[in-house]
């Protein structure tokens, strides 16, 4: 009887899926937004040309979205208040590309405001990610609406990489996907990479015995040894491994060849060999002779998965920004909004910090609605029925050169004067202050959040990449001086940007006009810094990924890396290149032998620290090594000559030689007789980076002190 009820429930669920997916239409936007696919494809071409490693994560994001509450864009929503969203659940913490989804959505909004859902944008991006990786192209049925609910606990519906065949079939069947869909969609693993922790139990602790001999017996031994050389322990949380070695950027049949040889990366991959149907499919396509058949199968399964539990018609919503729920106020509340707009502005920081849920429990219904509007304005949402609020949002000023000319005309003079004295006292602070601006902008945008102190020890400055950061006292000193002449006028975010410019200028680099008008943010989270800052051992693919999500291209990378012309680093940031590059106690072969020998003298084994670079102190008296030998603290072109000749200090420096655009730029500057072109390029790149996700107008605040306590 119980089994009959289960079968009936599954049949009803399947019927609901088919009914809802039937409402999708490949030509859904032919009248309302005929350019949508062209807009998405243009952005995808640009992004994957710069960072091809994004293709796998974007395909995976669509899969993770559809398996939890259906294909409704809920994986894109941010956590709010006490509610943890899907994207912050364990299975999704390694997803990449959220920032790029927002960029594509913004381009779609520019073409067709309020028309195309985030769920549809994500489905189109997944299709184009496959196609641009030399995979199949298919027509995507459209018309999905965005869901309003995102719950972390519901990600238990996602098939984990440790799943056995029974678990896999049950999880797919719950989404009306059959055995063929399972084996076909698993082949999405032909593109992309994975962190070691997703499969190291197969290498070191398969049955829980916790010893080196406890391995997955289904894994081919040579492949296992290769994986062990890359993932040296169960605790490896950073190393990335190709899911389809040798062709992880190309959508092909390589996945099936690997699985057939017992070289599938995940336990779930190997489980495909335990069932007659899926094993036969794997073996048929492992030979490589039926690519067109597989491509057709993959397209069909993607369309089928893309129709899982979709919202259509009047269900759900259309979000302007994919990470924030939309909210539509009734027209009668527009007068309340207009009447209370000054009150609303004055509460902006407090409301954003407390969260909508907390404030709404304390306030009346009218003020509750205003605070919902507050949250939407903070995220850039357009609110239906509130013309006054929409006009106010449109009037928010952006950045501009000379923003403080009327309110604080001496602002830039004060910053430069203080910087002269600071660097006379300690010239080594110049690279640190430049680095501070970079680290601030790459984590939540250029909002001064890196200066905030966390009571819980979980703020940005507590994160590993920032533990060696110096210069906080310098920014506080400049801020205190400005407060004496222009109280509560100049933001900490702008001070950091101006101090970075002056640090370069006073190190004999270029002078450039800094756009100002930034406001300070009040959120500082260590995890964001851990995830958004490219580590010094990044390869060029990883570097391009980190930069592309900030709308910075390959030339910007080559230009901004020139900052390494000034400053020093502790050994720990590059010692792996000298002694254990691939986990076999070896040296990075791209590093010049003579330079490596010099570095080994300065950094003998065991003298490394977990500190980053750029002229900072550190624990234990560890040696400091110049990032640009012979140039000291002079901002010049010698960095590029150093990279071309030796491979640079960091792996990320040497990786500039692995991309045609960045290598071309390095070679050009290494042979340049004048620094004028580079100085102009550097100024332009710094201005561009300084615009990253800034808060302006009524967003954020101007803090009286830069190192305020949060949480």
């Amino acid at each position: 009887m119980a089994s009959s009820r289960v079968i009936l429930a599954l049949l009803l669920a399947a019927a609901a899926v088919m009914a809802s997916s039937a409402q999708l239409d490949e030509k859904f936007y032919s009248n309302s937004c005929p350019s949508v696919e062209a807009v998405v494809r243009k952005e995808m071409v640009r992004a994957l040309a710069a960072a091809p490693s994004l293709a796998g994560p974007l395909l995976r994001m669509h899969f993770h979205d559809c398996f939890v509450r259906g294909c409704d864009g809920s994986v894109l929503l941010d956590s709010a208040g006490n509610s943890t969203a899907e994207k912050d659940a364990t299975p999704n913490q390694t997803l990449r590309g959220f920032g790029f989804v927002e960029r594509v959505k913004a381009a779609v909004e520019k073409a067709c405001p309020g028309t195309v859902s985030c769920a549809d944008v994500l489905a189109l991006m997944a299709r184009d990610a496959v196609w641009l990786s030399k995979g199949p192209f298919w027509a995507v049925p459209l018309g999905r609406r965005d869901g309003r609910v995102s719950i972390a606990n519901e990600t238990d519906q996602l098939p984990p990489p440790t799943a056995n065949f029974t678990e896999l079939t049950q999880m797919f069947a719950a989404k009306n996907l059959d055995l063929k869909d399972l084996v076909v969609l698993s082949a999405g693993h032909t593109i992309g990479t994975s962190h070691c922790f997703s499969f190291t139990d197969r290498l070191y602790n398969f049955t829980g015995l916790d010893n080196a001999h406890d391995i997955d017996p289904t894994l081919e031994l040579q492949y296992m040894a290769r994986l062990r050389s890359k993932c040296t322990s169960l605790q490896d949380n950073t190393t990335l491994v190709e899911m389809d070695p040798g062709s992880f950027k190309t959508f092909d049949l390589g996945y099936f060849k690997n699985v057939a040889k017992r070289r599938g990366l995940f336990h779930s991959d190997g489980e495909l060999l335990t069932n007659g149907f899926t094993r036969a499919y794997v073996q048929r396509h492992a030979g490589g002779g039926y690519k067109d058949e597989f491509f057709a199968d993959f397209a069909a399964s993607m369309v089928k998965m893309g129709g899982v539990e979709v919202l259509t018609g009047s269900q759900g919503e259309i979000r302007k920004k994919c990470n924030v729920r939309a909210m539509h106020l009734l027209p009668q509340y527009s007068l309340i909004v207009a009447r209370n707009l000054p009150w609303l502005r004055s509460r902006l920081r407090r409301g954003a910090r407390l969260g909508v849920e907390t404030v709404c429990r304390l306030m009346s219904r009218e003020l509750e609605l205003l605070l919902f509007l507050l949250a939407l304005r903070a995220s850039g949402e357009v609110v239906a029925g509130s013309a006054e609020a929409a006009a106010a949002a449109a009037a928010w000023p952006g950045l501009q050169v000379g923003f403080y000319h009327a309110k604080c005309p001496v602002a830039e003079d004060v910053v430069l004067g203080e910087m002269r004295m600071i660097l006379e006292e300690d010239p080594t602070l110049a690279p640190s202050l430049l680095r501070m601006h970079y680290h601030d902008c790459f984590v939540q945008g250029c909002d001064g959040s890196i200066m905030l102190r966390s009571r819980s020890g979980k703020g940005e400055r507590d994160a590993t990449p920032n533990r060696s950061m110096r210069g906080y006292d310098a920014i506080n000193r400049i801020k205190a001086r400005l407060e004496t002449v222009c109280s509560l006028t100049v933001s900490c975010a702008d001070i950091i940007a101006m101090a970075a410019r002056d640090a370069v200028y006073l190190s004999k680099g270029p002078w450039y006009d800094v756009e100002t008008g930034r406001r300070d943010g009040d959120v500082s989270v260590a995890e964001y810094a851990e995830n958004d800052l490219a580590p010094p051992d990044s390869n060029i693919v990883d570097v391009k990924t980190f930069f592309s999500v900030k709308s910075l291209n390959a030339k910007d990378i080559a230009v901004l890396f020139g900052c390494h012309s000034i400053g020093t680093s502790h050994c720990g940031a590059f010692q792996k290149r000298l002694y254990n590059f691939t986990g076999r106690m070896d040296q990075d072969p791209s590093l010049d032998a003579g330079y490596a020998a010099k570095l080994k003298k300065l950094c003998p084994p065991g003298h490394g620290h977990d500190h980053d670079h750029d002229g900072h102190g550190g624990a234990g008296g560890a040696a400091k090594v110049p990032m640009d030998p012979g140039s000291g603290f002079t901002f010049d072109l010698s960095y590029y000559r150093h990279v071309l000749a030796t491979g640079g200090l960091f792996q990320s420096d040497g990786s500039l030689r692995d991309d045609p655009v960045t290598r071309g730029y390095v070679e050009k500057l290494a042979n340049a007789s004048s620094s004028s072109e580079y100085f102009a390029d550097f100024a332009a790149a710094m201005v561009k980076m300084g615009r990253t996700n800034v808060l302006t107008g009524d967003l954020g605040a101007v803090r009286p002190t830069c190192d305020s306590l949060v949480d």
Side-chain angles (χ1 to χ4, degrees), residues 32-234:
S32 59
C33 189
S35 64
V36 59
E37 296 204 36
V39 171
V40 172
R41 191 164 305 125
K42 179 181 178 182
E43 293 296 327
M44 286 293 292
V45 168
R46 183 185 306 171
L48 295 189
S53 66
L54 265 179
L58 290 172
L59 175 59
R60 180 177 171 232
M61 190 182 294
H62 180 45
F63 175 87
H64 280 219
D65 184 39
C66 290
F67 261 69
V68 182
R69 289 190 167 267
C71 313
D72 67 346
S74 56
V75 73
L76 304 171
L77 285 168
D78 287 340
S79 298
N82 295 323
S83 175
T84 304
E86 293 171 31
K87 67 168 25 173
D88 293 320
T90 299
N92 290 330
Q93 287 176 0
T94 55
L95 285 180
R96 292 191 296 120
F98 290 108
F100 181 60
V101 174
E102 294 296 342
R103 171 174 158 182
V104 175
K105 173 62 171 170
V108 171
E109 281 296 307
K110 185 176 180 181
C112 311
T115 304
V116 183
S117 68
C118 297
D120 277 346
V121 168
L122 189 55
L124 290 170
M125 291 175 68
R127 187 270 311 276
D128 290 350
V130 171
W131 179 62
L132 293 169
S133 301
K134 301 184 180 179
F137 185 90
W138 63 91
V140 177
L142 301 168
R144 299 166 188 82
R145 303 267 291 179
D146 296 323
R148 297 189 177 101
V149 178
S150 185
I151 301 172
N153 291 342
E154 294 184 349
T155 56
D156 59 5
Q157 300 171 64
L158 289 167
T162 57
N164 60 37
F165 193 78
T166 300
E167 292 168 332
L168 290 171
T169 54
Q170 289 175 345
M171 288 180 159
F172 272 68
K175 304 301 175 185
N176 197 38
L177 298 170
D178 58 25
L179 287 183
K180 185 175 182 180
D181 298 317
L182 167 60
V183 66
V184 168
L185 293 174
S186 293
H189 294 168
T190 189
I191 54 174
T193 58
S194 171
H195 285 87
C196 291
F197 59 74
S198 294
F199 57 85
T200 45
D201 63 312
R202 305 184 75 191
L203 310 179
Y204 300 104
N205 193 31
F206 186 60
T207 64
L209 296 177
D210 198 19
N211 66 61
H213 302 290
D214 188 15
I215 62 174
D216 184 348
T218 67
L219 194 61
E220 195 265 336
L221 291 178
Q222 288 185 339
Y223 184 51
M224 183 195 67
R226 191 184 312 163
L227 292 176
R228 278 189 160 194
S229 72
K230 295 181 178 181
C231 305
T232 56
S233 74
L234 283 168

Side-chain angles (χ1 to χ4, degrees), residues 328-340 365-367 369-370 373 384-386 388:
H328 300 281
L329 298 184
L330 298 174
Q332 61 263 37
Y333 287 103
S334 61
L335 292 177
I336 299 173
V337 170
R339 188 168 61 245
N340 290 279
R365 178 62 181 169
E366 286 189 359
L367 295 187
L369 287 167
L370 287 171
L373 173 61
S386 178
E388 295 85 355

Side-chain angles (χ1 to χ4, degrees), residues 18 82 186 198 251 268 371 415 587 592 621 662 665 677 679 705:
M18 289 185 285
N82 295 323
S186 293
S198 294
F251 196 95
S268 58
L371 285 166
V415 175
Q587 181 177 299
D592 175 75
T662 55
Y665 194 83
E677 179 181 351
F679 279 12
T705 57

Side-chain angles (χ1 to χ4, degrees), residues 550-567:
K550 306 300 180 186
S551 299
L552 298 169
N553 58 31
K555 181 180 179 181
D556 297 321
I557 292 169
V559 171
L560 292 172
F561 268 41
C563 293
H564 293 174
S565 178
I566 54 175

Side-chain angles (χ1 to χ4, degrees), residues 590-593 595 639-648 657 666 670:
S590 70
L591 193 61
D592 175 75
Y595 182 50
Y639 165 78
Y640 295 100
R641 293 188 283 271
H642 174 51
V643 168
L644 195 61
T646 69
R657 303 188 301 182
V666 169

Side-chain angles (χ1 to χ4, degrees), residues 236-466:
D236 190 333
N237 294 320
T238 58
T239 304
L240 288 170
V241 175
E242 298 171 6
M243 291 192 288
D244 183 1
S247 66
F248 76 105
K249 298 178 188 176
T250 304
F251 196 95
D252 55 23
L253 296 173
Y255 170 80
F256 294 115
K257 295 177 185 177
N258 290 329
V259 173
K261 294 178 180 178
R262 296 190 295 120
R263 294 182 176 181
L265 187 62
F266 306 117
H267 183 69
S268 58
D269 295 325
E271 287 292 289
L272 297 178
L273 298 178
T274 65
N275 172 268
F277 177 85
T278 55
R279 180 174 61 252
Y281 193 94
V282 168
Q283 292 171 342
R284 174 177 173 81
H285 293 285
Y290 301 95
K291 184 176 78 170
D292 291 344
E293 177 186 304
F294 165 59
F295 277 16
D297 288 345
F298 187 82
S301 288
M302 286 295 290
V303 170
K304 187 175 178 182
M305 184 190 75
V308 170
E309 300 169 20
V310 293
L311 302 174
T312 59
S314 60
Q315 298 171 315
E317 62 190 13
I318 301 293
R319 294 199 290 271
K320 179 182 179 183
K321 294 190 70 173
C322 294
N323 65 321
V324 182
R325 296 167 181 82
M327 176 61 62
H328 300 281
L329 298 184
L330 298 174
Q332 61 263 37
Y333 287 103
S334 61
L335 292 177
I336 299 173
V337 170
R339 188 168 61 245
N340 290 279
L341 201 54
W343 175 90
L344 186 60
R345 287 195 181 111
S346 70
R347 301 298 194 280
L348 183 60
R349 279 185 69 215
R350 181 175 172 227
R353 182 167 62 248
L354 290 176
V356 170
E357 290 85 352
T358 302
V359 176
C360 288
R361 285 197 298 266
L362 304 175
M363 311 300 286
S364 68
R365 178 62 181 169
E366 286 189 359
L367 295 187
E368 175 185 335
L369 287 167
L370 287 171
L371 285 166
F372 274 129
L373 173 61
L374 166 65
L376 295 171
R377 291 190 61 205
S379 64
E381 284 292 341
V382 173
V383 183
S386 178
E388 295 85 355
W396 286 343
L399 302 180
Q400 64 185 69
V401 174
F403 179 83
Y404 296 110
H405 282 178
K407 296 181 287 185
C408 188
V410 299
E412 297 203 34
D413 294 332
V414 170
V415 175
L416 179 58
E418 290 295 320
M419 281 294 295
R420 285 187 189 279
M421 290 187 285
I422 288 166
L423 296 186
E424 284 175 4
E425 297 165 10
D426 184 0
T428 67
L429 276 177
S432 290
L433 290 168
L434 178 56
R435 176 181 169 228
M436 184 184 293
H437 183 40
Y438 164 80
H439 280 215
D440 185 41
C441 290
F442 263 65
V443 182
Q444 300 188 98
C446 314
D447 66 348
S449 56
I450 193 172
M451 286 293 301
L452 292 168
R453 290 179 295 131
S454 167
R455 292 183 179 90
S456 64
K458 296 180 180 180
E460 288 176 38
R461 61 198 288 177
D462 302 304
T464 300
N466 290 329

